[in-house]
Amino acid sequence: MNYKVRYHLSKKDFEILENNLPIIKGSRPSWFSSKIIFFYNNKTYEIQKISFWKSQYKVTAGGVEVAKIIVKTLKGYFIQILENGRIKEEYSVVKTAKSIWSSARIYTVLYKNTEILKIDYKWLKHSWIKYTEDISIEVLDENRGYPDVIVYSLFLMRISQQAEAASASGGAAGVY
């Protein structure tokens, strides 16, 4: 199954499309917030940072915590699906570059070292000054590639891109 992602209003609102029909709609309440709200399966999901000091995010559906998104700088990116407060499933997200000369990336979601889905991220050139993001998702395992896992993976993709942009701009401390 293949999906497309469409962003609106400076990446504030987004939709995940299946055959050009939205199956998930979501948004950030404000441009500076890391919080995301999306609607799926008649439930309202919220992704928000646990605390300022931790690189962890909690996902709630109807006020109940259903998942955690964990960023470990040396070990990678993880998604933990919770059931009754315990970890039911854990996914990892791996980023690979298509080329060292391109910003195109493939984000692969793994469950027990098996590929579940792939996010293909690239920029499309429309004119000499206009570029747009092109994000397509290929679900490789229908039993595990749930649409909510897709949203968590897209969230991790954005966190990875922000970290990469911060380090490229000199935002990270360097050793001389």
Side-chain angles (χ1 to χ4, degrees), residues 43-56:
K43 289 184 184 175
T44 301
Y45 288 78
E46 286 186 17
I47 302 174
Q48 60 186 7
K49 195 164 179 129
I50 291 177
S51 77
F52 179 77
W53 303 107
K54 291 186 177 182
S55 296
Q56 293 184 7

Side-chain angles (χ1 to χ4, degrees), residues 119-168:
I119 301 171
D120 186 10
Y121 177 87
K122 61 185 170 241
W123 286 92
L124 294 179
K125 183 176 182 178
H126 299 286
S127 68
W128 65 279
I129 59 171
K130 185 177 180 188
Y131 289 84
T132 57
E133 287 181 314
D134 182 45
I135 304 170
S136 59
I137 301 163
E138 180 184 7
V139 176
L140 303 171
D141 185 351
E142 296 291 329
N143 297 326
R144 300 233 179 257
Y146 313 114
D148 54 342
V149 173
I150 292 172
V151 176
Y152 309 153
S153 304
L154 288 169
F155 184 77
L156 275 175
M157 178 191 78
R158 285 289 183 220
I159 291 172
S160 169
Q161 290 173 340
Q162 289 170 355
E164 192 175 288
S167 66

Side-chain angles (χ1 to χ4, degrees), residues 18-87:
E18 180 180 14
N19 298 327
N20 289 328
L21 296 172
I23 59 167
I24 294 179
K25 291 183 179 185
S27 67
R28 285 188 304 164
S30 60
W31 66 271
F32 58 85
S33 174
S34 64
K35 181 178 180 179
I36 290 184
I37 299 171
F38 68 95
F39 306 98
Y40 171 66
N41 224 10
N42 295 327
K43 289 184 184 175
T44 301
Y45 288 78
E46 286 186 17
I47 302 174
Q48 60 186 7
K49 195 164 179 129
I50 291 177
S51 77
F52 179 77
W53 303 107
K54 291 186 177 182
S55 296
Q56 293 184 7
Y57 299 82
K58 71 176 179 177
V59 182
T60 57
V64 177
E65 188 172 7
V66 294
K68 281 188 182 178
I69 299 173
I70 302 168
V71 178
K72 296 181 180 177
T73 54
L74 297 177
K75 294 185 179 181
Y77 303 98
F78 300 95
I79 301 167
Q80 294 177 340
I81 306 297
L82 305 175
E83 189 174 273
N84 298 327
R86 295 178 182 241
I87 298 171

